[in-house]
Amino acid sequence: MRDAMPAKQLPTVGQILNEAQISLTVHRKLVKQMTSVRHAAPDTFLPELCNCILPVLLEYKRDLCAERVVRFLVHFTASRSPGTEDEADEFCENFLGFLLNLATAKDRAIRFRVCQLVAGVLNALGVEAEISDDLYERMEEVMLDRLRDKVPVVRAQAARALSRLQDSGEDGNFSDDVITTSFITLLGAEKNKDVRKSILGSLAISDFTIPHVVERTRDASEDVRRVAFLALTSKVPVASVSIALRAAAVRRGLTERSDAVRGAAIDMLKRWLDAFEGDVLALVAALDAESNEDVAASAVRALIECGRVKLNDVAQSVPDGVAAGGGLRRASDAELMSPEAAVYWRVVCEELHAAASASGATAASAVGQRQVVSAAVAGEKLEALEGVLPVNTGDLLDLISKHAREGAKFVARQLLPLLDLMDMADAAARKGTAALCDAQLRAPPQAADECHLDVCGVVSSHAKGGDGRWERSLVTVMKACHDSPSAAVAAVFACADALIEDVGTPDAHAQALFLASLVLEECPRHVVNGDVVEALMATLVRPGVTSASAAVRREAVRCLGLVGIVFGVRDDGECVRVLRAALCGDCPAVRAVAARALGDLALLYGAQALDAHNPSRDECEPAQAALAAPLETALLDAVDEEYGDAAVAEKGTEEEEAVDEADMLTGGAAAAEAERDASVATAAGEALAKLILRRGARAVADPAAVVARLVRCYFNVDARRRPRMAQCLAVFFPAIASAPADRRALVAESSLFALRTSAKDKGVAKVASYLAHLLGCNTQEVEEKEEKDGVIQTTTKSVVAPAVGGAALVAELAKEALAVTFRPAPTATAEKQLTKAYVAALAKLAAAVPLAPISVLEDAQQRAAAREVLAAGAEAAAQCAGRVADQKPAVKDLTAAVESMCEAMGEDPEDEDGAAVVDEEEINRRVMEECVALAAGDDVPLPFKQRVVKQHTGLSVKEIKERKAAREASPELDDDATPEKPVRAKTARATKSRAALKENVVA
């Protein structure tokens, strides 16, 4: 009889883990084997497994083999085979406890792998799995701690681990959960994009968290924005998102520059359309077409582009009688169109016309079969367009008139552009269109709440708080239906006069001025003669600027500015005087319009030409002395009202919160609109920025001072409350830094003044860094010749271009730093810190300014003058470095500045007898005299006392040159090495302290 077959021996834990590294396909089989091993030896299994996985925990690099082992461990720990559920739950709890014990290890690899395993296991566990409350609380505590780890990948894995530990609470919105609030806090503060992506993917979705997910759609990282849209697509129902957040998400997604992010936004839009069962009008209504017209139109265009809305099917729905919202071919007694239907059909008609025009243009230039196909497509699109539009122009005019009479001006405005798609060659059609526009422009101003409550799409007139789009559309159509521009202008002015004569209210006056402004905005000078302008001034503008209504004065000032722009500043100077008076002494809304108008006039004619019309100081009363000041001063005073040092105090808390909330929901549009209408400082700042950028040094009397003040505004402005000013300055400074040489020179000329005005704040280092960036942001191409294998090869590379005016700036910075050291040392701690920071900022900027070698100057006198300036600057920097020897960063930067200036000077020239032309002693004497006088004056801001201390000599340029030569000769020397100091004898107390410290360390 044969012996019984021996039982098959189980593999060891190490063998199973080795096989798990080979391929993912064997993991299912290996899990069964590992389960058998665990069941066979439950007491020794966990210690053996922990010892085997230690090498994996020490692997920080995401190696393929290590990642396979991690995935296998996650799969095995989360598996619960039938009949082994209790055993699996016990092992899972013990294994997670082991991992949590290692979560605070010093090795970053261990912390990373621990968080990765914990996150994988928690997310892989089924709903039937159970863990104890103690382990739950411990995991929450440990992973929250790792959420603030210094290593980004650890924070990312900790966020994944906390995903399923969030508690919705009693109200179900996660607002009281510690993990959720930590996620939201870190979303705004986290700098690493991968961590933000992990947090965004782990964040629980509720009414409390949805606004923060939408906020990430404007994240700085493209990947994070894409993840935000994916989260909105897969995890957020459209019904749970407010209208404002829907509009914000769609607006940002469809205006994305990244194709991947825009694709994710379109996927979100498709998902939302599916939620509305394919009803496009329901989706557009969910975006609130009245309040978010552009967003709704963009959404319809995106759906047409991606094929979810087919134009041919839409056109076919009209004859079939199933047109969305009733279509454009409506009976006279049909109900009014809804706003979403009006937007939808306008976009459909425009897209059909654009497709027909594109195919027609292709057919006109193509040949052969392509020409035939393109012509057929164009004909098909034109046929579809004709089937969608009303039968004739008269029907469309009746439809527009009906909605306008009922107060649905929003719907009527959507239908007005369709007149361009109709046949307007008929004189009757043009006459009917002109009559419609004339009647609507003559209508008294009306507020939205004065219309019938059942009417949708009600819009207020501009004078009643409307946005003016309705009036602008009417004026545009009026120009198109008249035979000549002069006739259209006369018709609009006649409507404005009718409002004054027939209605006569302040609102009617403001409405009439607005209509006149719309004409002047796009009116060529030859269209309107002097008599018409004088009549406009007499009937509308002059009565308007003296009106008791601020709204009327605002429109009058705006119209007056347009008159000056179109027809020039007349010799009597009435336009300039009225605008200056409005800037100095009216309400903020009027002052903002006046500042903008004066800036535009200065761009065209120059600030000096405007100042020629200012009254003299003797003619002005003391309260009106500002009227005699130059325009530059008036605009700077207006800027300082809000962005000056004295005005950067705390703003109203309630106002800030309201603006911030509106900014989050509208992407900054609400804050920017409020700023444009009422911020005098922003209007004045924009005017100065455009003036400097356009006219350069000829713009104002002291352009460098203006640029320095704008630098100060750049760091004072609150981008949340004043996004328009922040955006203006963020564009202005890079533009002027890369402009022609005369504009770039202003950056160097204004740098010292900008540092002086920032010296008493802790942000002077930021100002110096930003100025250094501006001065070194330009590059130039240089050719380098290199001989290789007997052949001379020429290569071109980009290098930093020298700063215009850099030599004079570095010399001024060095002298300023030396003058600071001539003042008595401050005693107050705060003043010491400010003085030290100011010297460090001066030295940092001096070292960062790129200098051009003086050898590029062709004129000998210019080279001699440049050498003298650089020699004086080098001497001042060397002396200052010796006087602030305890400030190592400043000494390092000052030394670098000296070396840079010496390199720009090149070799010292010699006369015929071999003697040096540059007299170092004379330069040293003059530098000392200049710096002493500078320290005794009021220009140097720090220290506050102005008594000059006794001079003592610091380093010399010669010593710094020798040290540089020594460093180059001995590369092993440390660049930051400082001169040896005398060794002081160690006291017994100090020796004892060090000995005790050493004993403690050894112990």
Side-chain angles (χ1 to χ4, degrees):
M1 187 175 178
R2 298 178 60 182
D3 295 338
M5 292 286 293
K8 185 177 181 181
Q9 186 177 3
L10 293 173
T12 64
V13 174
Q15 292 173 344
I16 295 176
L17 293 178
N18 286 337
E19 291 187 28
Q21 302 179 48
I22 299 175
S23 174
L24 297 176
T25 58
V26 298
H27 280 190
R28 186 183 296 274
K29 179 189 73 172
L30 296 178
V31 167
K32 296 180 180 179
Q33 294 180 0
M34 188 72 84
T35 303
S36 301
V37 173
R38 182 183 65 193
H39 183 71
D43 296 334
T44 61
F45 175 76
L46 182 61
E48 183 180 0
L49 176 65
C50 295
N51 288 329
C52 290
I53 66 173
L54 285 180
V56 179
L57 298 180
L58 292 171
E59 183 65 37
Y60 181 73
K61 184 179 179 181
R62 305 200 73 162
D63 183 70
L64 183 60
C65 295
E67 292 298 314
R68 287 173 178 168
V69 172
V70 170
R71 291 187 61 175
F72 170 74
L73 289 173
V74 169
H75 189 187
F76 168 67
T77 307
S79 65
R80 303 173 80 246
S81 302
T84 63
E85 290 86 353
D86 295 338
E87 178 184 323
D89 290 342
E90 181 182 359
F91 167 75
C92 178
E93 187 155 340
N94 294 333
F95 184 58
L96 289 176
F98 162 74
L99 293 175
L100 294 177
N101 290 334
L102 300 177
T104 57
K106 292 184 178 181
D107 194 333
R108 62 176 183 175
I110 296 177
R111 299 197 307 274
F112 163 56
R113 293 298 179 182
V114 164
C115 293
Q116 185 185 24
L117 285 168
V118 171
V121 170
L122 287 179
N123 291 318
L125 286 175
V127 294
E128 302 87 1
E130 297 181 357
I131 57 176
S132 63
D133 293 340
D134 294 338
L135 180 62
Y136 182 95
E137 294 175 357
R138 188 181 174 200
M139 280 193 298
E140 180 179 355
E141 179 183 357
V142 173
M143 290 298 108
L144 278 175
D145 188 36
R146 289 305 95 208
L147 198 60
R148 291 165 177 80
D149 196 279
K150 63 181 180 180
V151 181
V153 290
V154 178
R155 299 197 298 271
Q157 296 299 329
R160 291 184 59 243
L162 291 168
S163 175
R164 294 186 65 180
L165 300 181
Q166 300 173 82
D167 185 9
S168 60
E170 297 180 357
D171 52 2
N173 66 353
F174 296 90
S175 59
D176 297 329
D177 183 60
V178 178
I179 299 175
T180 306
T181 54
S182 299
F183 279 169
I184 291 174
T185 302
L186 288 177
L187 266 180
E190 177 60 53
K191 296 182 179 179
N192 187 273
K193 67 176 183 179
D194 294 327
V195 181
R196 296 199 301 274
K197 285 170 54 180
S198 181
I199 293 175
L200 202 55
S202 304
L203 186 64
I205 298 301
S206 68
D207 294 340
F208 173 66
T209 59
I210 287 176
H212 301 281
V213 177
V214 175
E215 180 68 13
R216 287 301 102 196
T217 58
R218 60 174 182 175
D219 193 276
S221 170
E222 173 184 329
D223 295 336
V224 178
R225 298 197 301 273
R226 181 174 177 273
V227 170
F229 282 111
L230 293 177
L232 291 172
T233 304
S234 59
K235 298 167 64 175
V236 182
V238 62
S240 301
V241 187
S242 66
I243 293 176
L245 292 177
R246 292 174 200 158
V250 173
R251 181 192 305 110
R252 295 166 190 164
L254 297 183
T255 56
E256 264 286 345
R257 292 173 291 181
S258 170
D259 294 336
V261 181
R262 192 174 188 275
I266 292 177
D267 291 339
M268 177 193 70
L269 208 56
K270 294 178 183 178
R271 182 69 174 268
W272 288 3
L273 182 62
D274 294 336
F276 290 106
E277 300 179 351
D279 189 351
V280 182
L281 294 189
L283 175 60
V284 176
L287 296 174
D288 190 2
E290 288 187 70
S291 302
N292 306 290
E293 175 190 344
D294 296 336
V295 176
S298 300
V300 176
R301 288 193 181 93
L303 292 174
I304 293 174
E305 178 185 347
C306 68
R308 290 301 299 270
V309 175
K310 295 180 172 57
L311 294 176
N312 291 337
D313 294 345
V314 174
Q316 186 60 37
S317 67
V318 176
D320 293 345
V322 291
L328 296 174
R329 296 190 172 188
R330 313 169 73 89
S332 59
D333 57 347
E335 63 181 9
L336 298 178
M337 292 182 68
S338 63
E340 52 270 16
V343 172
Y344 172 74
W345 284 107
R346 174 178 66 83
V347 174
V348 167
C349 292
E350 290 174 349
E351 290 298 312
L352 281 171
H353 181 264
S357 300
S359 299
T362 303
S365 59
V367 293
Q369 188 65 25
R370 185 181 179 189
Q371 189 269 342
V372 175
V373 173
S374 298
V377 172
E380 181 184 1
K381 297 299 182 183
L382 286 175
E383 183 179 355
L385 179 60
E386 291 176 359
V388 169
L389 289 170
V391 178
N392 52 53
T393 307
D395 292 346
L396 180 57
L397 288 174
D398 293 340
L399 185 62
I400 296 173
S401 301
K402 177 182 177 181
H403 286 83
R405 287 195 307 270
E406 296 293 335
K409 295 179 180 178
F410 178 85
V411 177
R413 181 166 61 82
Q414 301 303 314
L415 300 177
L416 275 176
L418 301 183
L419 289 170
D420 294 337
L421 309 181
M422 304 292 291
D423 184 11
M424 296 293 292
D426 186 9
R430 294 199 305 273
K431 184 177 180 180
T433 304
L436 168 65
C437 296
D438 187 83
Q440 292 300 318
L441 290 175
R442 291 172 181 264
Q446 188 177 29
D449 53 5
E450 298 176 4
C451 297
H452 198 278
L453 296 178
D454 295 336
V455 178
C456 296
V458 177
V459 176
S460 298
S461 302
H462 181 269
K464 291 286 189 177
D467 55 10
R469 290 188 177 185
W470 169 242
E471 293 85 355
R472 191 179 297 274
S473 299
L474 291 173
V475 171
T476 302
V477 175
M478 182 76 85
K479 294 177 181 178
C481 64
H482 279 81
D483 297 332
S484 64
S486 301
V489 170
V492 177
F493 282 164
C495 295
D497 293 337
L499 284 171
I500 296 293
E501 296 172 0
D502 300 340
V503 183
T505 62
D507 291 335
H509 196 168
Q511 186 81 357
L513 286 165
F514 178 66
L515 295 180
S517 299
L518 291 178
V519 173
L520 293 174
E521 281 180 356
E522 301 178 2
C523 174
R525 180 174 295 184
H526 67 274
V527 173
V528 182
N529 55 37
D531 296 336
V532 175
V533 174
E534 185 57 35
L536 176 66
M537 292 288 294
T539 59
L540 292 177
V541 177
R542 292 192 184 101
V545 295
T546 58
S547 173
S549 172
V552 176
R553 295 199 305 274
R554 180 189 63 198
E555 295 300 330
V557 168
R558 180 170 177 265
C559 188
L560 179 61
L562 290 171
V563 169
I565 291 172
V566 176
F567 302 103
V569 179
R570 295 186 293 186
D571 295 337
D572 57 2
E574 178 186 9
C575 175
V576 176
R577 291 199 305 271
V578 172
L579 291 176
R580 287 296 304 271
L583 176 63
C584 295
D586 214 314
C587 65
V590 180
R591 296 181 63 204
V593 175
R596 200 170 289 114
L598 286 169
D600 293 340
L601 290 174
L603 276 177
L604 291 174
Y605 309 112
Q608 293 80 4
L610 302 186
D611 291 338
H613 299 286
N614 291 350
S616 63
R617 294 187 178 274
D618 298 335
E619 298 176 358
C620 297
E621 298 179 2
Q624 299 178 338
L627 296 177
L631 178 61
E632 167 192 359
T633 304
L635 293 177
L636 285 175
D637 291 342
V639 170
D640 288 342
E641 290 178 8
E642 188 170 349
Y643 305 124
D645 293 335
V648 186
E650 298 180 359
K651 307 292 181 183
T653 307
E654 297 180 358
E655 180 185 357
E656 282 189 0
E657 292 178 355
V659 171
D660 287 347
E661 181 180 0
D663 175 73
M664 184 182 71
L665 297 180
T666 62
E673 183 178 358
E675 181 183 7
R676 177 180 59 84
D677 293 338
S679 178
V680 187
T682 297
E686 290 177 347
L688 288 170
K690 290 188 291 186
L691 200 57
I692 293 294
L693 193 58
R694 175 70 179 271
R695 289 182 164 262
R698 301 178 294 105
V700 292
D702 191 357
V706 173
V707 174
R709 297 277 280 276
L710 292 179
V711 170
R712 190 65 182 147
C713 294
Y714 177 78
F715 289 94
N716 284 346
V717 65
D718 182 3
R720 297 286 290 183
R721 297 184 66 254
R722 292 292 181 255
R724 190 181 178 96
M725 185 65 171
Q727 179 68 16
C728 170
L729 296 179
V731 173
F732 166 71
F733 286 113
I736 196 174
S738 57
D742 62 329
R743 271 76 160 174
R744 295 204 307 269
L746 296 177
V747 180
E749 294 174 7
S750 63
S751 295
L752 181 57
F753 184 76
L755 290 177
R756 284 174 174 173
T757 56
S758 306
K760 299 178 182 178
D761 294 334
K762 295 182 179 179
V764 65
K766 294 182 179 180
V767 177
S769 299
Y770 188 63
L771 290 172
H773 164 70
L774 295 178
L775 291 168
C777 66
N778 290 313
T779 59
Q780 63 181 11
E781 302 292 333
V782 296
E783 292 184 354
E784 289 187 350
K785 294 183 179 180
E786 181 181 3
E787 184 176 354
K788 191 174 184 180
D789 298 334
V791 179
I792 298 178
Q793 298 179 351
T794 302
T795 58
T796 303
K797 69 175 184 178
S798 297
V799 297
V800 178
V804 180
L809 173 61
V810 175
E812 291 176 356
L813 294 172
K815 293 176 182 178
E816 180 88 357
L818 182 58
V820 171
T821 65
F822 285 163
R823 290 193 175 181
T827 55
T829 303
E831 189 177 355
K832 286 182 181 179
Q833 294 176 351
L834 291 176
T835 304
K836 187 175 180 180
Y838 184 51
V839 173
L842 292 169
K844 182 177 182 179
L845 183 56
V849 176
L851 300 177
I854 63 174
S855 57
V856 300
L857 299 176
E858 298 179 357
D859 186 67
Q861 293 182 353
Q862 292 180 353
R863 287 197 302 271
R867 181 181 298 278
E868 185 175 353
V869 170
L870 290 172
E875 184 66 30
Q879 293 293 335
C880 184
R883 297 173 66 89
V884 294
D886 57 331
Q887 303 177 23
K888 292 186 178 180
V891 172
K892 181 179 179 181
D893 289 333
L894 288 169
T895 304
V898 173
E899 295 173 356
S900 175
M901 286 183 276
C902 292
E903 183 178 355
M905 286 188 291
E907 297 295 332
D908 294 336
E910 298 179 352
D911 58 12
E912 298 178 355
D913 299 332
V917 174
V918 179
D919 189 349
E920 294 186 1
E921 294 184 359
E922 177 63 20
I923 290 177
N924 185 15
R925 183 187 63 79
R926 281 188 297 171
V927 166
M928 288 298 179
E929 290 180 355
E930 291 179 13
C931 293
V932 168
L934 187 62
D938 298 332
D939 293 335
V940 178
L942 292 169
F944 298 128
K945 296 180 180 179
Q946 296 184 2
R947 178 174 56 83
V948 180
V949 299
K950 183 179 178 181
Q951 307 174 32
H952 65 272
T953 305
L955 298 176
S956 65
V957 177
K958 184 177 181 181
E959 291 175 340
I960 291 181
K961 285 184 177 180
E962 292 174 352
R963 290 183 182 180
K964 181 181 179 182
R967 285 199 308 270
E968 294 175 350
S970 303
E972 67 276 4
L973 292 180
D974 186 8
D975 289 342
D976 295 334
T978 55
E980 295 185 0
K981 298 180 180 180
V983 179
R984 294 182 299 177
K986 298 180 181 179
T987 61
R989 182 177 179 181
T991 306
K992 258 189 201 177
S993 299
R994 293 191 183 94
L997 181 61
K998 186 175 181 181
E999 290 175 1
N1000 291 334
V1001 171
V1002 173

